Amino acid sequence: MLVNRKLILAHFWFAFAVFGVALTLGAWQMFIRSPIGTWLSNPELYYRSLTAHGTVMGYVFPTLVAMGFGYAISESALEQRLVGVRWAWTGFWLIVLGSVMAMIPIALGRASVLYTFYPPLIGNLFYYLGVVLVVVGSWIWVALMSINLRVWRKAHPGATVPLAMYANVAGSYLWAWTAVGAALELLLQIIPVAAGLKNTIDAGLARIFFSWTLHAIVYFWLVPTYIAYYTIVPRAIGGRVYSDTMARIAFILFLVVAMPIGIHHTFADPQVGAGFKFIHSAFTALVALPTLLTVFTICASVEIAARLRGGRGMFGWIRALPWDNPMMLALAFSFVMLGFGGAGGLINMSYQLDASIHNTQWITGHFHLIFGGAIVIMYFAIAYDLWPHLTGRELIDLRLIRTQLWFWFVGMIVTTFPWHWVGILGMPRRMAYFDFGDPAIAPQALSVTFSAIGGFILLTSGIMFIVILARGMRAPQADAGAYRFAVAVHQPTTVPVALNTHALWVALMIALTITNYGYPILNLATTAGTSVPAVYVGAQ
Amino acid sequence: MSAEDTHRSVEVAARVERRWAAIAVIIIVGMALLAAFAGIHQATMPQPRVETTDPSRIHLSGEFVESNLGSVLETNGNVTVRAIGQQYSFTPACIVVPVDTPITLRATSADVVHGILIQGTNVNTMLVPGYVSEQLMRFTRTGDYLMPCQEFCSFGHEGMWGKVKVIDKTDFANRAKSGGRLSCVGQ
């Protein structure tokens, strides 16, 4: 039952439009820093572009996808009209306004601080205010998801919350809480300085606040992908979810352990002692758990589909899978990239191994593989799956869809594998250009060239994606029926209260954040003399 | 499927799932223990203490005044290197150190966030203004190493490359005889 289709389509279209722009900027950046495109020697333009790319891909695009998908889940899984439609539109327009407000100073070169802000570098006030508006807009969505679930619970006392909605609300709480870190950094530290009320800032403390957001935000990006793994893929390929309980456990584990781990981003920083770094490293290891559980459950669910289609033998069933189904293809690509990216992640979080790759191009390779690869390819799959229900028209050209997914997969591998390699060689990240004439850097030229080629394969794929969706808006009308989610092999008759509600897990999430962050923040906030003069971007 | 069959298949599913979960937990606990062991036994730990310094005064007094930057041979045979990063260079731009010697790198930033990375080694630390970074290092072969700034520090970031020259122990001792702070700049 999708009633507010316009609302959902608005979120998706704005998300994919800004995604298209940011993707183009990304390809351009890779081109000009490679040996094939050294015609541009103005790093200032490069960093404007990098700030725009990161801000859109990090804050605007995934947030809008999660929101649009969340509204669709709320309506179709709960089978009830969305409560608070007017608020939902308000949230949407706040994000549009915030995005435009942030992009103007970036385009003018007044906010080239990258999406991770980097105080004491201080950009134009409107850039930060724009980001704040995007976050505030998304918080409206968080509240609406919670309210809609509450309304449904009242109408269905004691009933089991559908898995998709359970996961969706868990994802929204994760976002609400993780965004608090960056919000504190912006409101307490950066905005007063950008507004000219203060001229010093504690860079170390600001970095700790940001790390609160910086890792859990990845899991917020990941949640729609995992919802698609569990509740869309098995249905689309004609299978069943192996275990509903395991799915719920995976989502609440994300909620609890994804939050208090961000200090692993500051392993090499001087403002936190070794003890808290170790604690965060151990917690980061824990966050691999929900992913390992998911890999098992989804492989088992896929195997069920294959065996229902007549697949036999220990591995023979793999051939029986519906490989011409885009959803199957997207899942397989997503899992391969998640595998490589996850293995890289285990290296990053390792207390000792991190030193070899910290802040090198390896890191860029890692998160592009996870976010740009494993996550975004499932965003495509979600859009393809929802589109006929949102437009009332069929997506006919499955071949084009498969080609698009193949391009994305190949493009991502060609882009990120060389990045991992040059990272190991010690190539720093965020460089506008390299002096390939230097004999010590020259051997990396080939790898950088490959990445640039990968960038253009990705851009081609992105264009194909938008074309497919746009054509889908004008295809012949066809009734797609009700939007359904996958059912479990053994549908739960009763679930434990703890796996049907979120309160316990939200409390744990907050408590763990306080124990893992309370002391480092308090310690830094009370140490005198750590504030340093702000350095205003574009003021020199 | 009869009721009994369903019951059995639920049991099998739960058992397989429990085993997988147990394997996953063992892998993760194993990794954390490995990290703890390596940290304690082989002393590969990040900087334990937090030290602060005022970047607007480092050029006036204290450890990071210009005359105190560079390498110094300590009485116990170890070497201490002091350096600062600022937009968009390191001081000293080229660090000279002896091979096979325990070296302590102490560094800070004079303005924004920078980073020091020595290519081909595991030396990699952030320079955050207001704080002192300390890292232990030891080179096993002589030669020149590139030392780029690894953290975005505004428009000139891509031009911020330092160098480390690792030389023979006796050469270094000879040069250190006259006292003072060494760097390879101007050599």
Side-chain angles (χ1 to χ4, degrees):
Chain A
M1 186 177 109
L2 284 170
V3 183
N4 287 290
R5 299 172 180 189
K6 248 193 198 152
L7 173 77
I8 298 163
L9 271 175
H11 281 81
F12 278 123
W13 267 125
F14 189 59
F16 297 139
V18 292
F19 164 74
V21 174
L23 186 64
T24 312
L25 291 178
W28 177 76
Q29 284 157 215
M30 288 200 273
F31 175 67
I32 61 155
R33 69 207 283 282
S34 77
I36 43 176
T38 47
W39 51 273
L40 186 117
S41 55
N42 184 356
E44 210 252 335
L45 287 177
Y46 178 84
Y47 292 119
R48 287 186 201 187
S49 173
L50 192 55
T51 306
H53 177 83
T55 304
V56 165
M57 295 300 205
Y59 300 132
V60 186
F61 168 54
T63 308
L64 282 164
V65 170
M67 289 169 73
F69 190 35
Y71 290 132
I73 290 170
S74 178
E75 287 206 327
S76 49
L78 299 183
E79 292 175 339
Q80 87 183 5
R81 278 184 90 108
L82 188 71
V83 178
V85 177
R86 211 176 276 177
W87 279 105
W89 277 110
T90 311
F92 173 76
W93 286 113
L94 275 178
I95 292 181
V96 174
L97 180 68
S99 307
V100 173
M101 200 160 142
M103 281 309 144
I104 292 171
I106 295 176
L108 294 175
R110 289 301 181 148
S112 299
V113 291
L114 311 194
Y115 89 110
T116 35
F117 305 148
Y118 290 114
L121 281 178
I122 296 292
N124 185 281
L125 176 65
F126 287 95
Y127 169 65
Y128 304 111
L129 292 180
V131 173
V132 168
L133 281 188
V134 170
V135 173
V136 170
S138 70
W139 279 349
I140 294 179
W141 165 75
V142 174
L144 285 179
M145 289 302 96
S146 181
I147 290 166
N148 274 276
L149 183 57
R150 188 160 302 183
V151 169
W152 184 85
R153 265 193 225 280
K154 246 188 199 149
H156 305 78
T160 304
V161 178
L163 175 60
M165 190 61 182
Y166 186 74
N168 178 35
V169 173
S172 76
Y173 289 153
L174 175 64
W175 168 240
W177 183 242
T178 191
V180 169
L184 288 174
E185 185 197 10
L186 285 172
L187 298 177
L188 300 178
Q189 303 237 284
I190 293 179
I191 289 180
V193 183
L197 304 172
K198 263 174 68 179
N199 54 18
T200 61
I201 188 164
D202 187 334
L205 179 59
R207 286 171 70 78
I208 296 304
F209 276 136
F210 196 76
S211 80
W212 166 328
T213 297
L214 191 53
H215 207 81
I217 195 174
V218 179
Y219 295 96
F220 163 64
W221 301 337
L222 201 71
V223 166
T225 291
Y226 273 52
I227 295 178
Y229 287 165
Y230 280 107
T231 70
I232 296 181
V233 173
R235 183 257 297 146
I237 63 169
R240 295 283 183 95
V241 182
Y242 184 75
S243 167
D244 181 271
T245 313
M246 202 51 115
R248 286 168 198 265
I249 291 174
F251 285 107
I252 53 114
L253 277 178
F254 274 134
L255 192 57
V256 177
V257 294
M259 217 4 262
I261 62 177
I263 286 181
H264 76 228
H265 283 256
T266 63
F267 274 166
D269 276 29
Q271 77 275 19
V272 201
F276 273 94
K277 286 176 180 167
F278 182 76
I279 291 173
H280 281 241
S281 175
F283 270 92
T284 315
L286 266 185
V287 92
L289 191 58
T291 294
L292 287 171
L293 297 179
T294 299
V295 169
F296 171 75
T297 309
I298 298 307
C299 286
S301 311
V302 168
E303 184 182 341
I304 291 170
R307 295 205 187 274
L308 285 174
R309 294 165 60 90
R312 277 165 199 293
M314 185 87 133
F315 295 106
W317 57 269
I318 295 173
R319 246 183 321 153
L321 284 167
W323 289 106
D324 53 348
N325 185 329
M327 194 58 76
M328 185 65 230
L329 210 56
L331 175 75
F333 291 155
S334 181
F335 263 38
V336 171
M337 291 189 279
L338 188 68
F340 284 116
L346 292 179
I347 290 170
N348 303 344
M349 72 98 207
S350 302
Y351 213 33
Q352 289 87 11
L353 293 180
D354 171 71
S356 357
I357 42 85
H358 175 77
N359 262 348
T360 65
Q361 200 71 46
W362 164 289
I363 301 296
T364 328
H366 161 70
F367 72 76
H368 277 81
L369 206 46
I370 290 275
F371 175 56
I375 295 176
V376 168
I377 206 164
M378 290 310 288
Y379 287 0
F380 296 153
I382 291 168
Y384 289 145
D385 197 58
L386 268 175
W387 225 247
H389 299 270
L390 295 174
T391 59
R393 293 157 199 274
E394 199 183 356
L395 288 180
I396 314 157
D397 200 345
L398 292 188
R399 228 169 105 128
L400 191 62
I401 293 179
R402 285 197 297 269
T403 315
Q404 187 263 326
L405 295 172
W406 268 106
F407 266 65
W408 192 260
F409 175 65
V410 172
M412 212 29 106
I413 299 289
V414 174
T415 303
T416 57
F417 278 32
W419 276 351
H420 279 87
W421 171 242
V422 292
I424 293 171
L425 296 180
M427 178 183 271
R429 66 200 283 207
R430 295 165 173 149
M431 302 299 252
Y433 57 76
F434 297 99
D435 178 12
F436 292 110
D438 186 325
I441 301 176
Q444 299 167 1
L446 190 65
S447 301
V448 179
T449 309
F450 272 120
S451 282
I453 294 168
F456 283 99
I457 302 176
L458 289 172
L459 181 58
T460 313
S461 174
I463 293 169
M464 284 161 80
F465 171 67
I466 289 169
V467 167
I468 293 167
L469 292 188
R471 276 172 48 181
M473 305 293 291
R474 299 193 306 182
Q477 290 197 330
D479 182 18
Y483 192 72
R484 291 183 306 110
F485 294 96
V487 284
V489 178
H490 304 290
Q491 269 300 81
T493 40
T494 54
V495 261
V497 178
L499 292 181
N500 204 30
T501 54
H502 299 90
L504 172 65
W505 312 114
V506 170
L508 259 177
M509 166 178 82
I510 294 174
L512 270 177
T513 313
I514 290 168
T515 55
N516 279 20
Y517 270 100
Y519 180 77
I521 288 178
L522 206 67
N523 190 31
L524 286 173
T526 52
T527 308
T530 52
S531 284
V532 302
V535 177
Y536 294 91
V537 168
Q540 295 97 318
Chain B
M1 221 165 28
S2 73
E4 199 180 324
D5 279 349
T6 312
H7 185 69
R8 269 196 40 211
S9 78
V10 172
E11 255 182 19
V12 171
R15 195 168 62 232
V16 176
E17 213 170 63
R18 264 201 306 274
R19 276 187 200 153
W20 177 263
I23 293 171
V25 170
I26 289 168
I27 292 174
I28 286 158
V29 171
M31 282 192 313
L33 288 178
L34 212 63
F37 175 78
I40 295 163
H41 181 254
Q42 300 174 325
T44 48
M45 300 280 273
Q47 177 178 356
R49 274 183 318 135
V50 177
E51 285 180 72
T52 59
T53 176
D54 180 357
S56 57
R57 301 190 54 80
I58 53 173
H59 59 299
L60 299 175
S61 64
E63 186 181 353
F64 294 100
V65 291
E66 194 164 0
S67 57
N68 200 36
L69 298 176
S71 314
V72 59
L73 186 61
E74 306 286 358
T75 45
N76 61 2
N78 292 359
V79 169
T80 304
V81 178
R82 291 189 181 80
I84 57 171
Q86 69 266 301
Q87 287 174 331
Y88 297 103
S89 63
F90 294 107
T91 310
C94 178
I95 292 169
V96 64
V97 286
V99 73
D100 289 327
T101 308
I103 302 163
T104 306
L105 171 70
R106 288 178 59 78
T108 188
S109 161
D111 41 38
V112 301
V113 178
H114 300 280
I116 280 185
L117 177 158
I118 303 180
Q119 290 191 347
T121 72
N122 281 347
V123 178
N124 198 339
T125 190
M126 303 295 301
L127 307 182
V128 180
Y131 300 89
V132 179
S133 301
E134 186 174 286
Q135 179 148 34
L136 305 177
M137 54 196 197
R138 186 188 189 108
F139 294 89
T140 50
R141 57 185 175 86
T142 56
D144 287 358
Y145 296 78
L146 284 181
M147 186 180 75
C149 168
Q150 39 83 333
E151 187 61 285
F152 176 71
C153 53
S154 202
F155 304 130
H157 168 55
E158 70 290 324
M160 188 166 166
W161 293 71
K163 237 181 203 172
V164 176
K165 207 179 201 35
V166 181
I167 61 171
D168 190 68
K169 260 178 129 160
T170 41
D171 283 357
F172 187 85
N174 283 336
R175 289 183 54 190
K177 256 186 209 148
S178 52
R181 308 293 178 248
L182 301 180
S183 82
C184 43
V185 176
Q187 301 260 330

